[in-house]
Amino acid sequence: MTVQSIGEGPLVTDGCVLYARVQQFYAEQVALLDEMRAEEFAATFTEDGVLSPSPAAPAARGRAAVAAALRAAHGRRFGSQPVRRRHRHDMLRVSVRPDGALHTRYCTLVTVTRPWDPVPVLGPSCAVEDLLVFRDGGLFVQERRVVPDHLSF
């Protein structure tokens, strides 16, 4: 296994190891999202990270704005209703850019369950593209662009 120094963190050039590392990052990040731990979720972005949640919504720039946008969107959609959301990612593609950053693309499907209904409701289906960077030995989102399928036509 060859290790190449990329940015401030090591990048293992074995594609399987890199892919697993990115998947682990997303597994940890989506757990924060599903649990509505907005500040901790926002901390997975760089200080100046950008979240574009939809072509129809303004981008959130910076961690505080990302956390605020997450809480606001949840409040608009669910109000004070108790819900359990699950973001299910699949079809992950990872490519290394010449500058060492990672470009990822994946699909996500959101399910929403309420305590009075055992059958989850399907939420949006989206395509997501991220620019991930290595900082302080970890991965962070520099930029995320989410396009709900119904807005992609």
Side-chain angles (χ1 to χ4, degrees):
M1 176 184 323
T2 305
V3 177
Q4 176 183 358
S5 179
I6 301 291
E8 296 176 85
L11 170 66
V12 181
T13 56
D14 178 328
C16 293
V17 173
L18 175 63
Y19 192 84
R21 184 171 180 184
V22 171
Q23 281 190 313
Q24 183 64 33
F25 168 78
Y26 284 130
E28 293 168 2
Q29 186 190 49
V30 80
L32 299 171
L33 179 60
D34 287 345
E35 295 166 10
M36 273 307 297
R37 292 162 54 186
E39 282 72 24
E40 292 171 82
F41 174 80
T44 66
F45 283 70
T46 59
E47 294 278 343
D48 60 347
V50 177
L51 170 62
S52 299
S54 167
R61 299 179 188 284
R63 289 177 175 165
V66 168
L70 180 61
R71 284 191 305 275
H74 187 83
R76 279 191 307 274
R77 180 139 188 230
F78 304 112
S80 61
Q81 291 181 2
V83 297
R84 173 91 56 225
R85 294 186 320 151
R86 301 281 187 226
H87 291 72
R88 302 169 192 289
H89 296 339
D90 65 1
M91 299 176 11
L92 173 65
R93 292 186 302 194
V94 179
S95 59
V96 181
R97 293 180 5 157
D99 64 358
L102 305 178
H103 176 259
T104 66
R105 180 176 168 82
Y106 56 91
C107 296
T108 190
L109 178 64
V110 181
T111 59
V112 178
T113 304
R114 292 175 169 85
W116 57 85
D117 188 354
V119 179
V121 175
L122 292 181
S125 173
C126 305
V128 183
E129 289 192 53
D130 282 351
L131 178 62
L132 301 179
V133 294
F134 289 95
R135 300 271 161 77
D136 301 322
L139 283 171
F140 293 88
V141 178
Q142 177 71 51
E143 185 172 352
R144 172 166 294 162
R145 186 171 63 98
V146 181
V147 179
D149 289 345
H150 73 281
L151 296 178
S152 67
F153 292 90

